[in-house]
Amino acid sequence: MADNTQKMSFQAGEAKGQAQEKASTLMDRAGNAAQSAKESVQEAGQQVMSTAQGAVEGVKNATGMNK
């Protein structure tokens, strides 16, 4: 009986460790995905700003305000 109890306790501990490792891996992946999304949004924002600045310069040139 004691052997079965010890074996079950060991297996429960082993399962808990595996679950913690999986949770840690998932959290790492989620963090990486969030960082990647943040960088993508920042890059898109910079591209929009650059495009807008180009449009402003085009309007200034077209209206003669850039002289």
Side-chain angles (χ1 to χ4, degrees):
M1 183 89 161
D3 285 342
N4 281 344
T5 302
Q6 286 177 333
K7 186 176 180 181
M8 288 174 60
S9 178
F10 174 79
Q11 289 173 338
E14 202 171 45
K16 179 182 177 186
Q18 289 173 355
Q20 287 174 331
E21 181 63 28
K22 286 181 182 179
S24 177
T25 299
L26 288 174
M27 291 300 290
D28 286 346
R29 287 181 183 173
N32 291 341
Q35 181 64 30
S36 179
K38 176 183 172 186
E39 290 170 2
S40 293
V41 167
Q42 287 175 334
E43 185 177 323
Q46 289 173 347
Q47 288 175 349
V48 168
M49 287 176 52
S50 177
T51 301
Q53 184 62 37
V56 167
E57 291 302 316
V59 168
K60 285 182 179 179
N61 287 337
T63 59
M65 295 175 62
N66 220 10
K67 294 181 179 180

